[in-house]
Structures are given as structure tokens and as C-alpha cells.
Amino acid sequence: MSGELVLSLKHVFSGYTDGGGLLGKKERQEVLQDVTFDVFHGEILGLVGESGTGKSTLARTILGMVRPERGEVVHYTKRPQMVFQDPYSALNPFYSVEWNLEEPLRACGKYDRAERKRLVREMLARVELTEDYLAAKPAELSGGQCQRVSIGAALIQQPKFLIADEPVSALDVTIQAQLLDMLRTLRRELDLSYLFISHDLNVVYQLCDRVLVMKRGRIIEQGTVDEIFHCPKEEYTKQLLAAAE
Amino acid sequence: MKRGNGFLTAGLLLTCVLTALILVGFFWTPYDPNAMAVGGKFDGPSLAHWMGTDNFGRDIFSRVLKGTGTTVSIALVTLAIGAVCGCLVGALTGYFGGPADGLLMRLNDALTAFPSILLALVVISILEPGKKANVILALGLVFIPSFARVTRTAFAGLRDVNFIKSARLMGAGSVRILAVHMLPNMLSVLLPALTIGFNNAVLAEASMSFLGIGVTPPDASLGYMLSEAQGMLFAAPWYALGTGLVIVLLVFSVGLLGEGLRRRDKGVL
């Protein structure tokens, strides 16, 4: 870890607005409370906590889908990308794998046709799929293959920072292990940093360098994987660990 | 289409036959549809005059052929106006939401409360009755609300789906997201809506012309011909029968097509 920053959050309070419309009354739901942390270059930062603690809201806030109420979100790299839990929902079902991989390149308009085709094939190889899959529709792929394609689509604009929201939770254990391996390799080859959101502590233990523990919108503990897993300080972290055994 | 889809096959077949007939009718009819005394007065159906002749001795089959073309082209342009404008309103309200959504959809509700024919009547009397362009405009306006409603639901449903979120993250513009990412995924609701809309447009045009506020002579349209036929129902029942049958066939075949499409498409919606 070089100590170079990729992202830093400073005292972020965030939430989302419910209701609204012409007559409805808007209700602000506060989710994140005073969240402060840094992501360093090249690391895989795990984010754990029960469902409903605001992990996804945190991801959305980082990505700018939700504007923070207070505090600061500072990006040190260009636009981060996201991988979702349900692999099928992340790809446009109307189009082929090739289209889904190529679309981000088309959208940013910086590449000509030949270059796009080349980058798509290169990315397909990186996510360990053969060119036979180019013409397939997402619905024809298995969950693991589909997740590979959506990781490819997220990485094809060459971001340096990737947010993965439970990317392997919907997959079975052997496929999980393969994908985690692939994520490790991609980090090394493409010089990436991840924020890896998961409720599965075993996966976090295998993959991450550092861990954030979140409870009711607050980061209650953070440290290296060894610190968190072997000598947790907070009672809540101990409970999470005990539940995972 | 994995299993055989009888609705789709039958609908496609019938629609193709009708389309071919209409296209032929634009360029060639057995007799000049407006020429009088090509046969006798009130001749029954025969080999020379498939649907018989009317009180002026005009060939009814030729008139039906021409009239179907008029009716269908009016219906298609009407549908295009309704669908395109409706889609725009649907996208504006469903995708962007906000105050425009509330306002436009309440307006939509208000318009939906009136029967569409009544609404078209009002519009056409404000414009000027008897002109083809005005009939199209009036019907087109009337068809906007239903399309707006259908597409709004679809756009709103897709707005928060992950692949749309991803597209926004990738930096795709709103127009691109709406047209390229969302619209194709709405075909399963859009195509049936289009076929139903087409049938409604055919019937609406026929009704308006029947009532005398639609297409007027010398243009023959199915509705106008039906109102002519009414006056000679006993002297030449084949006139009303032939014309009516074509309307039924038209609506039936496009209805089949729509049902077939609905059964085939299982999109994300």
C-alpha cells in the first residue's frame, strides 16, 4: 500500500428523500451519521455490517447518486464504477454481451469502432470468458458468467476505483472463490482499488486488506483484517464475528 | 418464439394479406372507385363485381379497397402522433419525475375521464370538420394520454434498475438512456399498446366519418361508406356487409397480432 489516497469521506451525513410528488410530503431519511474514512491506492477495503445499516446508501453517496447532507466526499481518481449484487439486473437484457461491454466506450465517445472492438475482446479475456459469449444475451448466461460480464462492463472505461456491492453473494461457493480470485488478479493487473461491501465475513476475510464495520449508519470500528478479525474492540464486531462462525 | 404461437402466426398472415390488398388498392382497383354506372344499379355480388354495386352503379369492392387505404393511413398517422407524443410525455414524467410528473399526469387523468370519441368531437369542431388533416390531428391528440400512461409506468419502472444506474455512471446522456437503453426493453408493453391503439384509431375514424364529421367525399373511407350503406341497407345489403366485414377483419387481424406479440415478449417489465 503506497499511502496514496483514492477516496476520502469526511464527516459525511447522508440519506434519501421519501415521498414527494405534487401533493405528497417529503420525508428525509437520515442514514449515514458522521462517516469518515479513506481508501488508499491499491487496497481492498471491506465494508461489513447487518443489512439496513446504510452500506448501500454509502455506496450511492460515494457515486454521487445521493447528495450528502453535510460533509465532504473527495475523489482522487476519475469516475468510480459499481458492481451490483444481482448480476442479471446489471446488464441490459435487450442487448448482447458485446453490446453491454461496448456501450460504456460508446457513451464516452473517445474510441473509434475498431478500438472499441479490440478493448471489448481484451476485457472479455480479462474476465476469463471466451469470444463465444459475445453474441449471447445476458439471460443465456449463468450467474457467474453474467457477473463476469458486468465486472468487465464496469472496468472497461478503465476506472481506478471500483465499488462492489455484495458482488458474489448471489453465487454459489465455488463460483464465489473463482470470482474472488479474478478480482484479486484484476486489481493487480489493472492497478485498482476496491470498496467491497459484504455481509459475508468469510469472504471479507479472504479478500480484503482493511475492514470498516458499520452499525446504524456509523463506522464504529476500522482496522486491518487481522486487527478486526483477531482482536476486535467493539462488542458489535465481536457479535458479528461470532455469528459468522 | 420457442413454442408455436398461433396468435402471432395468424395475426401476421392476415395483416400481411390486408397490407398487400391496401397497397394494391393505392395503385390499382378493378374499377375506378368513383366512376358511376360501371355496373347496373344495386347489382348483387358477382364475378365482375365481388361486393356488388351501389345506387350509382359504382363497384363496391373497388371503393372498399380504396376506403380501407384511407382509413388505415389515417389510423397510422394518428397512431404515430399519439405514440410519439405519448412516449415523450411518458419519458418526461416517468423518468424525470418531479413537479412536471404530477401536473401532466393529473391533466392526463382529467382527459382520460372523457370518452375519446367525445374528445375528438370537441377538438374537430374547434378546428374545422371535414378535412382529413384535422381528423388526423384530433384523433392524434386524443390518443396521447393512453400512450403517456403506458410508457410512464414503463419508464418509471426502469429508472432505478441497476443497468440504468450503471449507464448513468458510465456517463450516458438522458436521451441515450431513454432511447437506447430503455425503449427497447419496453417493447413488450409498447407493441401491444400500438396494436390496440391502431384498432381504436380505425374504429374512431370509422365512427367519426360515419357521423359525418370525419372524411368527406370524394375521399372514400370505411366509416363514410358505412353511413352511405345504411341508407340502402335493404336495397343493397352487400354494401354494408362488405364494408363492415373489412373493418371487422382489419381490427381482428391486428388484434391477433397484438395478442401474439404480448404472449411472445417477456421483457423485464
Side-chain angles (χ1 to χ4, degrees):
Chain A
M1 219 176 298
S2 60
E4 200 180 313
L5 281 172
V6 168
L7 169 79
S8 80
L9 270 74
K10 291 168 188 157
H11 307 289
V12 169
F13 291 75
S14 181
Y16 52 86
T17 313
D18 257 352
L22 198 62
L23 299 171
K25 199 177 152 215
K26 289 190 180 183
E27 243 172 71
R28 184 86 182 162
Q29 301 284 332
E30 283 309 327
V31 183
L32 301 183
Q33 310 270 352
D34 197 15
V35 172
T36 299
F37 67 88
D38 295 319
V39 182
F40 295 99
H41 178 87
E43 79 170 338
I44 304 183
L45 179 62
L47 175 63
V48 300
E50 292 167 324
S51 44
T53 52
K55 293 180 304 223
S56 294
T57 306
L58 179 57
R60 291 164 56 116
T61 306
I62 293 172
L63 291 168
M65 296 173 186
V66 179
R67 193 183 293 276
E69 188 96 314
R70 269 190 284 155
E72 233 188 318
V73 179
V74 188
H75 290 278
Y76 296 95
T77 64
K78 64 173 188 167
R79 194 184 283 154
Q81 292 297 331
M82 178 142 182
V83 177
F84 299 92
Q85 174 170 9
D86 173 12
Y88 294 102
S89 74
L91 299 175
N92 195 321
F94 183 80
Y95 296 103
S96 67
V97 166
E98 182 170 23
W99 187 94
N100 273 287
L101 284 173
E102 196 180 340
E103 176 61 13
L105 298 175
R106 231 179 277 125
C108 71
K110 278 187 282 193
Y111 306 91
D112 64 29
R113 200 182 143 78
E115 206 166 358
R116 289 200 305 262
K117 297 285 173 207
R118 183 182 64 75
L119 287 169
V120 164
R121 275 155 184 79
E122 195 184 295
M123 185 51 74
L124 200 68
R126 283 201 191 282
V127 295
E128 296 159 6
L129 291 173
T130 60
E131 292 191 11
D132 304 334
Y133 291 103
L134 280 175
K137 293 279 178 72
E140 296 158 16
L141 303 177
S142 71
Q145 291 165 343
C146 208
Q147 193 63 296
R148 285 169 190 275
V149 177
S150 60
I151 290 171
L155 291 178
I156 204 151
Q157 284 184 341
Q158 298 161 1
K160 287 294 160 204
F161 179 43
L162 189 69
I163 298 176
D165 190 357
E166 308 265 11
V168 297
S169 305
L171 308 170
D172 67 52
V173 182
T174 46
I175 307 292
Q176 276 193 4
Q178 290 170 13
L179 272 176
L180 294 179
D181 264 345
M182 189 183 85
L183 284 172
R184 266 188 224 106
T185 313
L186 287 171
R187 163 174 68 157
R188 198 174 56 240
E189 290 178 352
L190 300 176
D191 191 29
L192 294 167
S193 314
Y194 301 139
L195 177 66
F196 188 89
I197 303 174
S198 182
H199 67 274
D200 187 339
L201 288 159
N202 292 317
V203 169
V204 170
Y205 186 71
Q206 287 172 52
L207 185 73
C208 297
D209 306 308
R210 278 198 314 132
V211 185
L212 305 170
V213 183
M214 198 165 182
K215 185 190 180 187
R216 295 212 198 112
R218 293 174 184 278
I219 306 288
I220 56 162
E221 189 168 4
Q222 53 180 307
T224 64
V225 167
D226 276 339
E227 284 165 8
I228 297 288
F229 279 81
H230 298 303
C231 40
K233 294 190 191 73
E234 294 288 327
E235 196 53 41
Y236 179 73
T237 313
K238 288 176 193 163
Q239 282 172 18
L240 278 182
L241 287 168
E245 299 217 333
Chain B
M1 202 170 34
K2 290 194 178 62
R3 287 183 299 118
N5 187 334
F7 286 95
L8 195 59
T9 319
L12 270 175
L13 211 70
L14 274 172
T15 317
C16 282
V17 170
L18 284 172
T19 312
L21 279 176
I22 290 164
L23 287 179
V24 168
F26 277 128
F27 301 106
W28 178 84
T29 46
Y31 301 90
D32 179 344
N34 292 323
M36 300 194 191
V38 293
K41 202 173 167 185
F42 297 136
D43 278 353
S46 64
L47 274 178
H49 304 286
W50 291 2
M51 290 183 181
T53 58
D54 67 3
N55 55 334
F56 296 120
R58 295 179 295 195
D59 180 53
I60 293 174
F61 182 67
S62 302
R63 288 180 66 71
V64 166
L65 219 50
K66 202 80 182 171
T68 313
T70 310
T71 297
V72 167
S73 45
I74 289 177
L76 283 177
V77 180
T78 298
L79 195 64
I81 295 175
V84 170
C85 297
C87 244
L88 286 175
V89 174
L92 200 69
T93 55
Y95 184 68
F96 296 104
D101 180 25
L103 210 68
L104 279 169
M105 289 327 281
R106 293 300 81 76
L107 187 70
N108 215 357
D109 288 341
L111 286 177
T112 316
F114 298 100
S116 51
I117 276 288
L118 200 65
L119 217 56
L121 273 173
V122 173
V123 177
I124 198 108
S125 46
I126 293 171
L127 298 168
E128 188 189 340
K131 275 193 182 158
K132 212 158 143 188
N134 287 347
V135 177
I136 291 172
L137 198 63
L139 285 174
L141 286 174
V142 167
F143 277 89
I144 294 174
S146 65
F147 277 102
R149 185 173 308 278
V150 168
T151 53
R152 178 189 177 274
T153 314
F155 278 119
L158 284 170
R159 183 177 58 185
D160 294 320
V161 172
N162 285 340
F163 65 82
I164 297 299
K165 284 189 201 162
S166 290
R168 274 196 293 268
L169 279 178
M170 310 289 179
S174 296
V175 174
R176 185 168 183 86
I177 289 181
L178 288 167
V180 180
H181 291 251
M182 286 180 154
L183 206 56
N185 284 296
M186 294 165 43
L187 288 179
S188 60
V189 289
L190 211 53
L191 288 177
L194 280 172
T195 54
I196 292 168
F198 175 80
N199 283 347
N200 287 338
V202 166
L203 294 176
E205 187 282 322
S207 317
M208 283 176 68
S209 299
F210 183 81
L211 294 173
I213 48 164
V215 176
T216 45
D219 287 327
S221 94
L222 292 177
Y224 180 72
M225 288 166 62
L226 214 51
S227 74
E228 268 185 348
Q230 191 193 24
M232 43 189 116
L233 203 53
F234 292 101
W238 44 84
Y239 195 177
L241 262 175
T243 314
L245 220 65
V246 170
I247 296 180
V248 170
L249 200 64
L250 201 61
V251 171
F252 177 67
S253 56
V254 177
L256 273 181
L257 190 67
E259 179 63 16
L261 287 169
R262 199 182 62 75
R263 290 182 183 219
R264 186 197 59 173
D265 289 319
K266 280 184 253 105
V268 276
L269 290 168

